[in-house]
Amino acid sequence: MIQVDIKRRPGARSKLDRAFNMTAEMTALNISRLLQKDIVDSIDSSPPKGKVYEKAFGIKDDRKYPHTASRPGNPPRNWTYALRNGIEIKGKKSDYNVLSTAKTPSGFDYAIALEFGTKNMAARPFMVPAAERIKPLVTKIFLKFYKQ
């Protein structure tokens, strides 16, 4: 075992604290990036097995296609890509949030409606399941980080 007495070296404690804080900040940012990627991947890979909306067209390859929704309980399917592209990381230092900035033109946050459902639509959760999927990895990261 090697023991370092940081009380004897002036300035060593603050350098150690800065190194620890930088590591914590990068860890928090990387976990946020993992969560963001998992959410986007779940939206991208959601199966087209729900209701088909013939009059509601999505645009792909400059042509119009009917939109096929996801089944209740599955992540939402891409249509306008606003939800997918609106999954952002906000924050600074070790306090990061992964959130959706997707809103309708009237300002309604439809990420909440999709995640939890409404009285007219069953939930299509995508954020909470992503957090559950990366939880074991986050636990492993923090246990490794804590033991250093």
Side-chain angles (χ1 to χ4, degrees), residues 20 23 141-148:
F20 180 82
T23 303
I141 289 169
F142 275 106
L143 286 174
K144 184 177 180 180
F145 184 68
Y146 180 73
K147 289 179 183 178
Q148 287 181 350

Side-chain angles (χ1 to χ4, degrees), residues 76-92:
R77 293 215 355 105
N78 273 323
W79 182 10
T80 65
Y81 290 83
L83 180 66
R84 179 198 186 281
N85 295 338
I87 305 298
E88 298 180 1
I89 299 172
K90 301 274 187 186
K92 58 184 177 178

